[in-house]
Amino acid sequence: MANGNYTLNGALYGSPIPPPQKTYHSHAKRGADVGCGICRCFLNCLLCCGACLLNLVCSILIGIAVCLVIIALILWFTPRPNAVQFQVPEANLTRFDLDTQNNNLHYNLSLNFVIRNPNRRLGIHYDQLEARGFYGDQRFAAVSLPSFYQGHKNTTVVGMEFNGQRLVLLGGGGRKDLTDDQKSGIYRIDVKLRFKIRFKFGFLNSWAFKPKIKCHLKVPLSSSSSAGGLQFHPTKCHVDL
């Protein structure tokens, strides 16, 4: 009996087994746990998506900043082009008369353009060149010129000739100007250049520009006695980029 064992009718029994404890589960609490789990999952998703979006925005901003720095460095080290210079040193007019019956203008004008590239490290491509002759506001001639490349610190001479006839309708002011020019023997003729220009730096070419070149010429008629042996004076042209 002292060791805690009990004998009953010759049988030996050990210590009594305590009855199992009853456990109770609250359904309301389980629902709360499930709800809190969904909230935590949703919150984690929001935090994860927000972090990914923030990383994406930061990457885009860094990429833009790097591109701007590269462009700034390129512009800083690329030499700025100086203005190209155009001049007409020679012009020869042998015929310029208007037939008043059919308004046909007969002309023969030859001239040279001197094009100066003052840039030390920039070459220039000239593409799709065209020269046009104007008297007053009326165009009377147009010639196409071949494309060419002009190197650094280079001077190029381009010759052209306007020869033929064309219908030209002059107003009252234009006819008066023509009469005055016929009396003086010096004709006020405008020559305009149209072309595409591209600058070359090393192996890089710039995008195309379309400058407008206009030259106001006063050309003496070589066969006119009223010109009194006057010579053509070299004329600088106006450059409009």
Side-chain angles (χ1 to χ4, degrees):
M1 302 292 293
N3 54 5
N5 296 329
Y6 300 90
T7 303
L8 182 61
N9 297 328
L12 182 62
Y13 296 91
S15 300
I17 299 175
Q21 297 181 356
K22 295 182 179 182
T23 58
Y24 300 92
H25 300 280
S26 175
H27 295 286
K29 185 176 181 181
R30 182 182 301 174
D33 292 339
V34 173
C36 292
I38 294 175
C39 292
R40 285 196 297 270
C41 181
F42 181 70
L43 181 60
N44 291 333
C45 289
L46 286 179
L47 293 176
C48 181
C49 293
C52 293
L53 183 60
L54 182 61
N55 291 334
L56 179 61
V57 172
C58 291
S59 300
I60 293 175
L61 292 178
I62 293 174
I64 293 175
V66 171
C67 291
L68 291 177
V69 170
I70 294 175
I71 293 174
L73 290 175
I74 292 175
L75 294 177
W76 178 264
F77 288 106
T78 301
R80 297 178 181 179
N82 295 320
V84 184
Q85 302 166 4
F86 291 81
Q87 185 179 16
V88 179
E90 297 175 340
N92 184 30
L93 182 65
T94 58
R95 186 179 184 183
F96 201 84
D97 55 82
L98 180 67
D99 189 340
T100 57
Q101 294 182 356
N102 54 21
N103 291 318
N104 276 335
L105 177 66
H106 299 265
Y107 55 89
N108 189 0
L109 170 66
S110 60
L111 53 90
N112 289 330
F113 270 96
V114 173
I115 306 175
R116 174 65 179 170
N117 176 17
N119 298 283
R120 294 183 177 180
R121 292 185 292 171
L122 290 177
I124 303 175
H125 291 280
Y126 297 88
D127 302 320
Q128 301 178 9
L129 279 83
E130 185 183 50
R132 300 176 180 178
F134 290 82
Y135 188 79
D137 294 330
Q138 300 295 316
R139 188 179 75 176
F140 65 86
V143 294
S144 297
L145 304 172
S147 301
F148 66 93
Y149 172 77
Q150 187 178 34
H152 317 149
K153 301 286 288 185
N154 180 267
T155 300
T156 303
V157 179
V158 178
M160 64 191 66
E161 183 175 355
F162 302 110
N163 184 14
Q165 63 177 8
R166 180 165 179 152
L167 177 66
V168 175
L169 300 177
L170 296 177
R175 288 184 177 274
K176 182 179 183 302
D177 291 340
L178 180 59
T179 301
D180 294 340
D181 292 347
Q182 289 172 343
K183 291 179 180 180
S184 64
I186 300 176
Y187 291 80
R188 291 163 288 183
I189 299 173
D190 294 333
V191 177
K192 300 180 182 180
L193 290 180
R194 296 290 185 270
F195 53 87
K196 290 183 179 180
I197 186 173
R198 291 177 293 126
F199 292 100
K200 182 180 180 182
F201 176 66
F203 60 89
L204 298 176
N205 290 317
S206 71
W207 53 88
F209 298 90
K210 291 184 179 181
K212 297 178 181 180
I213 314 301
K214 187 174 183 179
C215 308
H216 302 283
L217 308 179
K218 294 182 179 180
V219 189
L221 186 64
S222 59
S223 60
S224 174
S225 59
S226 59
L230 295 177
Q231 300 295 322
F232 174 79
H233 296 285
T235 305
K236 292 184 178 180
C237 303
H238 176 71
V239 180
D240 184 9
L241 296 177

